[in-house]
Amino acid sequence: MGGLGSRARPARLIPAATLAAALATATSASAAVEHADGGSPWPLIATGGLVVAVAAVAIILLTRVFGASLRSMSLRNESERLKSEVALARAEARFRTVFEGAPLGIAVVDVDGTLKETNAAFDLMLGYERRELVGKTMTELSDESDRERTLEAFGALVRGEVSSYEHEMRYKRKNGSTLWGDVSVTYVPEDDEPFAIAVIDDVSDRIVIRDRLIHEATHDALTSLPNRGLFSAQLGDALRSRLPGLAVAFVDLDHFKVVNDSLGHLAGDALLRAVAQRLRSIMRPGEMVARLGGDEFGVIFLDEDIEARVEWLHATVAEPANIEGRRLYTTASVGVAVAHARYERAEDLLRDADIALYRSKADGRATYTIFNEVMHDSAVRRLQISSDVRDAINAPDQFRVAFQPLVRLSDWKTVGYEALVRWQHPREGLIQPDLFIPAAEETGVIIRLGREVLVRSLERLAREQRDDPTITMHVNVSVQEIMHGDLPEHVFAAIKATGVRPESVTLEITENAIIDTSTGAGAVLERLRAGGVRICVDDFGIGYSSLRYLSLFPINSLKIDRSFVSGTGEGIESEPICRMLLDLARSLELTVVAEGIETPEQADRLLALGATTGQGYIFSRPIIPERDGPIVLPDILLKGRPVGVSA
Ligand code: C2E
Ligand code: CA
Ligand code: CA
């Protein structure tokens, strides 16, 4: 036996050693996950239970082969043979127990991928009876989306291109659910009967948590849409891959603040979710809609016919939404930039979509704009103007003040004017304030400019009051002027110098300037009011205030923003909003000016809703009078309210 035994043992021990080594590799994947330092040179140590399992498999196979060999041998010593057999049987039983009890799923797999043996953990993970599993292939058990990968990897293994492989794979449990496993498969190239060992670590819990964390980090909690980070990343990828039809859109809800303020945040949230859901419903494969923040969404389109898609988007948002039992109408301003070869960075595309959005808002909202080069030029022009305005303040003659009549809606009598500044630019000609006021505010130039306008407006008021002592003057004041602190002193000095009554002077302040506590607006307004000057909240409805909050400030009147008044039709653009603002103003005993009136129908409708005063192109555009000449009113205001127009 010595000769045979000594020959047989090394011959049989080689595959056993291979098996152990193979299993060592097979388990290294799961060991490496938990021991990220990768310091363990023998990963089996890391997964203690597995060592035993490994050995178990080794022994099972070993003993099977041995068993057959031993039986065929003619042993001289019968008792030795018996002893050996008993020892082997014991070993087999011991190792089978350990194999069965191993905490990792282990399967012995044929070279054609068929399962030959499985352990209890393996059966449990997949939810099958063992007899159902044996005979199935690894590919059959894989989740459909991972089948291709399994076939490839297993093929490479059997062809000897690799000795083992590891990856994170999805399997289908018998009940249809998904098992996420860290799987390691090792090939054992035994001459007569090669096989593979698959070890699966169930990492489903970890994957679920990981996926949730990834989702939370890349998605918006309210709408579940991707967030700005994911949006930018996806856009960058799309641009680099030069995907055909790539375009990006910014979608900004019009007057979302009004919904929030009047119906509460829950309704606002519900509206955002409804819009998100709609936008999602019109996305096609590869496209993305994200919430970029507040009431702003971003869309990545992959469509050559971008105009049709944007029109569709625009119409989809405009469909009425049912929020808390109310029908809510919302519109969006949209800016689109279409990718082409000149764009290298996602930021450039986003910048141009933003310029287009700016244009949509300037065009009175509820519209979409597709970016073109002309817009780029005008953005550059805006930049140039911003820098010029700093120098212009040293040549105040370049500034002109226009006066737009404020009209009593009941009889169309001119009761006052709003002073609106213009800039006679040496090269560009007459520039409207929307182009340079923001720059003047940013650079602080607005403080000197504001004083200049104030003085000239009150001089004009004094002149107009010579003919009609009841005439009033509205002057716009920026937040920087309020913060500067000595605004009341300048106002009172100008009133004194011109001799007008303080009560005939109204300062128009945007609601944001009042609400922002850092401006100290409250104290400044109190001083102005104490001196008899009136305060009007301008652009009312588009800012961030709530009326309740406004009631804490000494305010005389509100000016409903023109975007609620004039739009495409003859009637009022947003009657429900105007009605609501007027109702609330009435309850706070504030008078209301409606601006942006462009048709007689709008004037009469607003009168019927309770507005006392109106302003708009239907009555008169802002007028720039000659330095010492009168303000020449258009005929329509000289005649008064036409008869036949019904309120
Ligand atoms: P704002 O105070 O809301 O002024 C009303 C704007 O609406 C004016 O534009 C006026 O020309 C325009 N408007 C009047 N009626 C109609 C109408 O029927 N339809 C339409 N579509 N628009 C109408 P403007 O003169 O271009 O002034 C723009 C903004 O510039 C003003 O908005 C105000 O915020 C600012 N601004 C003007 N002058 C001054 C100033 O002296 N100081 C400060 N701080 N801001 C000023
Ligand atoms: Ca104003
Ligand atoms: Ca306004």
Side-chain angles (χ1 to χ4, degrees):
M1 176 223 154
L4 265 174
S6 60
R7 240 192 352 259
R9 214 170 288 139
R12 291 299 169 195
L13 275 175
I14 292 166
T18 318
L19 180 57
L23 272 163
T25 333
T27 51
S28 65
S30 43
V33 174
E34 265 105 51
H35 302 270
D37 57 358
S40 169
W42 190 243
L44 280 177
I45 297 164
T47 36
L50 197 64
V51 181
V52 194
V54 165
V57 178
I59 295 300
I60 290 160
L61 292 154
L62 196 60
T63 47
R64 178 166 306 163
V65 179
F66 256 120
S69 317
L70 287 174
R71 268 188 299 280
S72 69
M73 278 185 223
S74 67
L75 286 172
R76 260 177 298 154
N77 191 325
E78 180 63 13
S79 73
E80 246 183 58
R81 189 186 63 84
L82 273 174
K83 245 195 257 167
S84 299
E85 280 203 345
V86 168
L88 281 169
R90 272 207 198 122
E92 172 155 8
R94 200 156 55 230
F95 286 117
R96 169 140 314 264
T97 310
V98 181
F99 169 76
E100 272 298 315
L104 299 178
I106 306 173
V108 177
V109 186
D110 225 340
V111 284
D112 62 4
T114 312
L115 300 183
K116 304 298 270 182
E117 288 204 48
T118 61
N119 72 348
F122 192 96
D123 306 342
L124 196 69
M125 278 179 194
L126 285 148
Y128 283 99
E129 299 283 327
R130 180 155 308 159
R131 57 187 161 73
E132 296 174 305
L133 277 175
V134 172
K136 278 201 187 334
T137 65
M138 289 298 280
T139 322
E140 259 176 275
L141 293 170
S142 304
D143 186 274
E144 242 164 78
S145 37
D146 279 339
R147 278 194 189 152
E148 196 71 21
R149 222 153 51 100
T150 305
L151 276 175
E152 260 168 40
F154 200 77
L157 195 73
V158 173
R159 287 194 300 275
E161 291 161 24
V162 293
S163 58
S164 68
Y165 67 86
E166 298 148 16
H167 47 212
E168 201 175 84
M169 288 260 308
R170 279 156 294 179
Y171 295 94
K172 270 269 160 287
R173 296 196 184 93
K174 189 180 177 185
N175 67 9
S177 64
T178 302
L179 163 76
W180 276 95
D182 265 349
V183 61
S184 312
V185 183
T186 304
Y187 189 57
V188 186
E190 211 187 342
D191 293 341
D192 47 353
E193 207 179 337
F195 60 96
I197 296 166
V199 178
I200 301 180
D201 187 5
D202 182 351
V203 293
S204 304
D205 290 349
R206 196 179 75 206
I207 298 286
V208 167
I209 292 170
R210 186 191 67 187
D211 285 356
R212 199 170 64 221
L213 288 176
I214 292 176
H215 191 272
E216 274 168 15
T218 54
H219 288 72
D220 163 53
L222 179 69
T223 60
S224 295
L225 290 180
N227 63 14
R228 187 181 281 275
L230 186 54
F231 181 75
S232 303
Q234 169 110 350
L235 183 62
D237 286 350
L239 197 61
R240 273 188 295 280
S241 340
R242 303 251 164 252
L243 294 183
L246 175 64
V248 60
F250 281 146
V251 180
D252 196 292
L253 298 189
D254 299 325
H255 313 310
F256 175 70
K257 269 322 280 182
V258 178
V259 175
N260 243 356
D261 286 348
S262 54
L263 303 178
H265 288 274
L266 287 180
D269 286 355
L271 180 61
L272 287 174
R273 273 196 298 264
V275 170
Q277 178 50 40
R278 284 180 197 183
L279 291 175
R280 201 187 279 130
S281 75
I282 61 167
M283 291 297 106
R284 292 185 178 154
E287 300 185 335
M288 176 187 271
V289 52
R291 179 165 178 226
L292 305 181
D295 56 355
E296 190 172 309
F297 297 86
V299 179
I300 297 172
F301 282 116
L302 299 175
D303 197 328
E304 305 284 356
D305 190 1
I306 186 65
E307 212 159 330
R309 290 297 297 287
V310 175
E311 250 167 47
W312 185 19
L313 178 149
H314 204 248
T316 305
V317 174
E319 279 164 26
N322 267 327
I323 306 289
E324 295 179 350
R326 289 167 201 263
R327 264 169 103 70
L328 279 191
Y329 293 83
T330 180
T331 56
S333 299
V334 184
V336 184
V338 178
H340 53 68
R342 214 172 36 73
Y343 287 110
E344 275 169 14
R345 301 175 316 162
E347 295 97 283
D348 297 337
L349 202 56
L350 292 172
R351 178 205 58 212
D352 289 350
D354 204 32
I355 291 175
L357 176 63
Y358 174 91
R359 170 59 60 89
S360 287
K361 286 185 180 168
D363 285 351
R365 300 159 202 262
T367 180
Y368 69 87
T369 309
I370 297 178
F371 177 83
N372 62 38
E373 287 308 316
V374 178
M375 269 173 236
H376 181 254
D377 294 347
S378 79
V380 170
R381 178 163 168 257
R382 258 202 320 276
L383 221 73
Q384 179 62 44
I385 287 169
S386 305
S387 83
D388 287 354
V389 76
R390 258 169 301 188
D391 305 329
I393 194 64
N394 294 317
D397 281 352
Q398 287 184 10
F399 293 99
R400 306 255 184 289
V401 185
F403 298 95
Q404 188 176 30
L406 299 174
V407 176
R408 192 158 60 205
L409 288 173
S410 56
D411 59 1
W412 291 21
K413 177 191 181 295
T414 302
V415 292
Y417 296 94
E418 175 177 6
L420 294 161
V421 68
R422 273 94 183 87
W423 177 17
Q424 186 68 48
H425 191 282
R427 290 187 312 276
E428 302 271 346
L430 199 67
I431 300 182
Q432 299 302 310
D434 282 339
L435 261 184
F436 65 87
I437 291 283
E441 289 176 339
E442 271 160 35
T443 53
V445 164
I446 191 70
I447 293 174
R448 282 175 66 192
L449 181 60
R451 285 178 194 168
E452 188 72 30
V453 173
L454 179 74
V455 169
R456 289 199 221 166
S457 306
L458 296 200
E459 285 169 356
R460 170 56 57 179
L461 177 61
R463 189 188 192 288
E464 296 302 318
Q465 284 185 348
R466 286 207 298 267
D467 298 335
D468 180 352
T470 65
I471 290 290
T472 62
M473 183 64 71
H474 283 224
V475 182
N476 294 286
V477 175
S478 290
V479 60
Q480 286 80 359
E481 298 174 72
I482 298 170
M483 288 171 81
H484 203 255
D486 57 0
L487 176 71
E489 283 68 36
H490 282 277
V491 173
F492 295 135
I495 286 173
K496 201 162 170 219
T498 53
V500 297
R501 287 175 297 106
E503 293 75 21
S504 61
V505 177
T506 297
L507 299 185
E508 292 193 2
I509 296 163
T510 59
E511 45 183 333
N512 292 350
I514 301 182
I515 294 312
D516 184 352
T517 49
S518 67
T519 62
V524 175
L525 298 188
E526 291 291 354
R527 274 156 66 204
L528 287 164
R529 286 283 277 126
V533 171
R534 292 171 188 264
I535 307 294
C536 172
V537 177
D538 200 358
D539 302 340
F540 191 69
I542 62 170
Y544 299 97
S545 60
S546 71
L547 264 178
R548 201 162 359 108
Y549 195 80
L550 280 185
S551 68
L552 303 175
F553 290 92
I555 292 160
N556 303 86
S557 55
L558 300 176
K559 214 176 206 188
I560 298 184
D561 189 67
R562 61 179 180 275
S563 59
F564 301 118
V565 174
S566 47
T568 44
E570 300 220 309
I572 306 178
E573 176 69 7
S574 182
E575 183 152 336
I577 290 176
C578 286
R579 186 195 304 275
M580 180 197 79
L581 294 177
L582 280 157
D583 284 351
L584 292 170
R586 209 175 0 252
S587 71
L588 291 170
E589 297 178 341
L590 301 173
T591 56
V592 173
V593 183
E595 70 177 3
I597 301 178
E598 293 181 350
T599 67
E601 289 76 14
Q602 288 163 355
D604 280 5
R605 195 72 203 118
L606 286 159
L607 175 65
L609 291 176
T612 49
T613 315
Q615 174 184 5
Y617 293 169
I618 176 66
F619 307 120
S620 171
R621 298 208 167 226
I623 301 162
I624 305 181
E626 293 297 323
R627 183 169 284 277
D628 297 309
I631 294 177
V632 183
L633 292 176
D635 283 352
I636 192 169
L637 283 180
L638 299 176
K639 288 186 201 136
R641 181 162 173 253
V643 278
V645 181
S646 65

